[in-house]
Structure formats: structure tokens, C-alpha cells
Amino acid sequence: MMDVVLSYFNYWVVILLMMIGFYGVIAHGNMDKKLMALGLFQTSVFILFISAGKVIGGATPVIRDGVSVFSNPLPHVLILTAIVVGVATTAVGLALAVRINEAYGTIEDDLIGDPSHEPEEP
Amino acid sequence: MTLAQWMPFIVLVPMITSGLVALLPGRNLPWLMTFLAATASTGLSLWVLFGIDAEPLRYAFGNWPPPIGIEYRVDAANAWVAFIVSGIAMAALLWGRVSVHQEIPERQNIFYALFLLALAGLLGITLTGDAFNVFVFLEISSLSTYALIAFGHDRRGLLAAFRYLIMGTIGATFILIGIGFLYMMTGTLNMADLAERIPAVADTNAVRAGFAFIIVGLGLKLALLPLHLWLPNAYAFAPNVITVFLAGTATKVALYVMLRFIYTVFGGDYSFGAVPLATLLMILAIAGMVVGSWVAMFEPNLKRLLAYSSVAQVGYLVLGVSLVSLIGLTATFVHLFNHALMKAALFMALGTVMYRTGSARIEAFYGVGRQMPWTMTAFALAGLSLIGVPTTAGFISKWYLILAAMEAGLAWLVVLILITSFMAVYYIWRVIEAAWFKPAQTDAQGATKVFREAPLALLIPLWIMVALNFYFGLETSLSLGAAEQAAQALLGAFK
């Protein structure tokens, strides 16, 4: 039992973080908190990829004498891209939150309500 | 240079031009560059579409042979979708110049730069043969789309964009998780390579989970009911030119990627055999058709009305997929094109009225038919295509969908398609009734509001789109031929 918990430790962390993030996105009405939770959700996927790249007993993937087993560097490169995407998403989201705050005076989802019910602006 | 070497330029031209457009001053120069880039992409994709034969076109970036490097791999299916996307972008831009002047008076260079990025992203998703590259291009197009939706002067666009951002990012992350599982099990990201290696590990929970994550993530991007909640507001409160562009392209590309994963990566036998995917898709498609049409019947905001109609149309598209036959898939591919034509024409007509009246509420359309006869006639004719009246493009789609349903022996499905078509008659009629049979609006003093007919710069592109709806309803060799080839290319991938 302990073996299962410990040998898949990374994946347990991934699932835990993913669920916390996913719950936060759904449950929070505050747009900043939504974005934070979204960041957590995305980060958990980064750990999932990175964990898959680790080869037990593998060294850093630089060719040198006396080393024959290397960890897989590709997931790191993929996640570098995904991190950039994540940063861009957070930036666009925060920029929108700033504009929403200017337009509505709040970033609480519950206080704004459904935009389709809003009366037409003149 | 060979055709295979020209093919990547379909994506590269808009992507590189977008950086240039951001630096251009003024209002007409950025538009012109954007339009030229979209035209170049359309021309190239048309060339690829006609030049393609049984072997897919392949281009390895940086001369790194796949599966090490990223590869663009184009067969009849991608070429057809790329042509639809770039063609609709070109049409939207042709119509949008004047509309953008009104809605976005400043910083048009940034607007057009984002437009090109969104276009490059959508085309990149379409052409690439690399699963991770799909995710990257998906995010390029999504991020620029969020910004574009929020670009208008309507503050509700900001909320729509934020909510789309949250849901879109969850969808994209789901796709990333799915691709991660596939990579863990197979050690490759190239689609053709994945297709070779998946059968050996197909019977594992990791591959099944990866499949589920990818389908759900794409379902969100596709706006398949019940994952459609982002779509109505995003379409309704975006600038009109963006609505025209998105309605014809964004959900189509998501559907194409879904088909690519179902047929090429996992293989049709696995997708429809290991999971009851066909049943699931059929239930969701029918729910989308009925719920989308039902909500559209009572929606007071006409842009939202057409957006809900799009949810219903996505239902038709997925219904063709769920029948799992060559003719069903042909119906899907021909409807991809025809729906892009009719929705672009309808949103253009709405946008042309809004150019004068400034509102998409149905009350704002009272009496407009008498004041702007050319615009509203175009709307009515495009509406006929949406309903599926014979001689219009919409009829061809519905006809093939009905043929596919008959072939599968599902007569009740034919009845259902007809019922939802009658629901379309009702919601299009509501607009016609408001425009021609209601007294014109009055202002606070009780004087009748008078709107002039829209300028020719809006009317000509609008009528071109309407004419295309009728042209492709009568002369179907291009659209049906290409759709059939696209369907065969996908089905052939696992035979």
C-alpha cells in the first residue's frame, strides 16, 4: 500500500493540484481567484509531463564519458512551450479583468450577472 | 519549389504578416496587408486542394525528418478545411473594412495583427501533423480570439471574452493532458507515428483516458452541447467582423481536429469500438440540434439567435460524424463549407443593419426591411439557405445528412432533421416579420426613425456571399467533390 502511494507520489500530487485548481475555477466568483486556480490547474499538467520524462537512474541528458542512461529531455522542452502559453493566458486574463473592473467597477462574477440580460447601451 | 514546399506558406504568410501589420500606421494600410495575406493563404490552399493526389503532401520543418521534427502533413481533408478557413477570413475582411472603421476607430493595426494571428493559428491547427503542435496553434488562435472578442466598444464583450478564456483554457489543458498520456504510452507526438504505435498499447487505461481527455477538450472548443456555454455571448458581443470570421471557422477547425484524432491517430475501429463514441456523439448532436434551435426561437438578441443556431448546426455536423459512414462524413464535410457560407452571409447581413441601427435587439429591426431593402433581402435569402430550401447550399448539406440517416436505417432521424429545419423557419421568420411587418421604430418625440440603406462597401461583399450560397446550391461539383475526397482521405487512413 505504502509502495503504491510513494512510487506514484508525483502523480498523486498532480491529481491533487489538478482537482484543487479545477474546483477553484468553478467555485470562485472572483476573477483573479479564478485565474489563480486556472494557473494551478495548468501547472499540475506541467508536473505530469515532467514526471513522465524522468528515467530512473538516468543522468542529465548531456553526452559525456561513462554515462549511458539519460533522462528524457523532450517533456521539458514541451512544457517550456506550455509554460509560455500559460503565462500568456494569465496575462490576457488579467488584462481582461482590469478592463472589466474599469467597465463594471467590480470583478466579482456574481455581482455582474449574465451580460445577455444587460440593457442595451445607448 | 514544389507544391509541398509552398504548402507551409499557407500558415507562414499570415503569421509573419501579423508582425508587420502591427507596425503599420493608419487605418487602410493594415487592412490592405491583412486582406492580401488572407488572399495569399486562400490562393495557396486552393492550389494545394487541386494539386493534391492520393499521397499526402509533407513538409518537415528545419529539415528534421519526422518523428523527430515537426511535420506538416496535408491530405484532402486538411486542404479542404484550410481552404474554408482562409476563404472565410478573406470574405470577412472584404466585408469588414467599413464595419471596423465604425466599431474600432483606433488601434486598427493591433486589431488586424491579432486577426492574422488567429487566422495563422487556425490554419496551423489544420495543417500540422504533430499532436503537440496542435495544442500550440490552438492556444495561439484562442488567445488572439479572446483579445479580438474584447476589442469592441461593448463592455459585455469583455465578460464574454473572460468567460471564453476560462472555458477555452480548460478545454485546451484537457487536450494537453490527453496528448501527455499518449506521449507517455508511445513516446512520440507525430500523428502518423502515434497511429502506428497506439494499437500495441490500445488496451490500457492510459490510452483510454487520453482519448477521453482529447475528445472532451475538443468538444469544448467545438461548442458541442453541453459544452457550448461560452459560444452565444462570445459571438453576440464580439465586433461584427470577428463574429463573421469565428462563426465560419473556429468550431469547424475544432471538429476537424476531432475527426483527425478519431480516424487518423486512434483509428476508426478503436474510436468507435473501444468506446460507445458513436452513440454518445449522436445523443449530444441531437440535443444540440434541438436545444440550439429551441433557444434560438425565443432569443431577443439576433446575434445570440444566430449563435444558438450555430450550436444547432454544430449538432448537424457531429450527427454526420456519429453515423460512421462515408456518406455521413461527406455530409459533415460539405456542411462545414455550406454552414460557413450561410452563417457568414447571415452575420454579415446583421452586421450591415447594425452599422446603421447600432443594435442587435429584435426591436431595433422593426421596419428595417422597408428602409434597408437590399440588406434585409440578402438576410432573407441567406436565411433560406440556413433553413435548407432547395437550390441553396443548405439544402445540399441537409440532403446528404438525410441520405446518411436513411442509409443507416434511422427514419426517425430524418423526421428530427426536418423538425429542426422547421424550427429554423420559425426563427428566421421572426426576423423577417420584425423587419417588414412591424411599424418602424420611433424616437422619444414620436418621430419615425429613418435609416438609410447601407453603403456599397458592405452590400457588395454581402451579396457576393449570398450569391455563393445559391451558386453552391446549384453547382455542387467543387464542394461535394472536395468533401467526398476529404471523407475518403480520413476513412482511408485506417483501412
Side-chain angles (χ1 to χ4, degrees), chain B residues 309-328:
Chain B
S309 154
S310 276
V311 173
Q313 303 289 325
V314 166
Y316 289 129
L317 290 169
V318 176
L319 187 67
V321 179
S322 73
L323 292 168
V324 203
S325 61
L326 179 64
I327 191 158

Side-chain angles (χ1 to χ4, degrees), chain B residues 6-18 37 40-41 44-45 61 72 74 82 86 116-117 119-128 133 137 140:
Chain B
W6 279 108
M7 174 265 287
F9 282 94
I10 296 174
V11 181
L12 293 178
V13 167
M15 188 175 272
I16 294 168
T17 320
S18 82
S41 281
L44 279 171
S45 45
F61 273 88
Y72 277 9
V74 178
S86 49
L116 279 176
L117 266 187
L119 175 62
L122 290 172
L123 289 170
I125 302 169
T126 313
L127 296 190
T128 190
N133 212 223
F137 274 122
I140 290 178

Side-chain angles (χ1 to χ4, degrees), chain B residues 227-240:
Chain B
L227 305 169
H228 68 288
L229 289 171
W230 58 269
L231 185 139
N233 283 343
Y235 280 17
F237 304 124
N240 280 319

Side-chain angles (χ1 to χ4, degrees), chain A residues 26-78:
Chain A
I26 297 167
H28 281 298
N30 184 299
M31 292 181 184
D32 281 353
K33 287 182 184 165
K34 263 188 198 299
L35 285 174
M36 279 184 226
L38 196 66
L40 199 61
F41 180 60
Q42 287 180 304
T43 308
S44 72
V45 182
F46 302 162
I47 302 175
L48 177 75
F49 268 76
I50 300 283
S51 306
K54 175 66 186 165
V55 175
I56 292 169
T60 42
V62 179
I63 294 175
R64 56 191 185 279
D65 289 339
V67 183
S68 57
V69 181
F70 301 105
S71 285
N72 185 352
L74 187 66
H76 295 76
V77 183
L78 298 179

Side-chain angles (χ1 to χ4, degrees), chain A residues 49 72 78 103 109 112 115 118, chain B residues 132 155-156 159 163 180 183:
Chain A
F49 268 76
N72 185 352
L78 298 179
D109 231 5
I112 296 172
E118 203 176 303
Chain B
F132 192 79
R155 68 174 187 171
R156 292 170 296 181
L159 274 181
R163 288 174 187 169
Y183 178 70

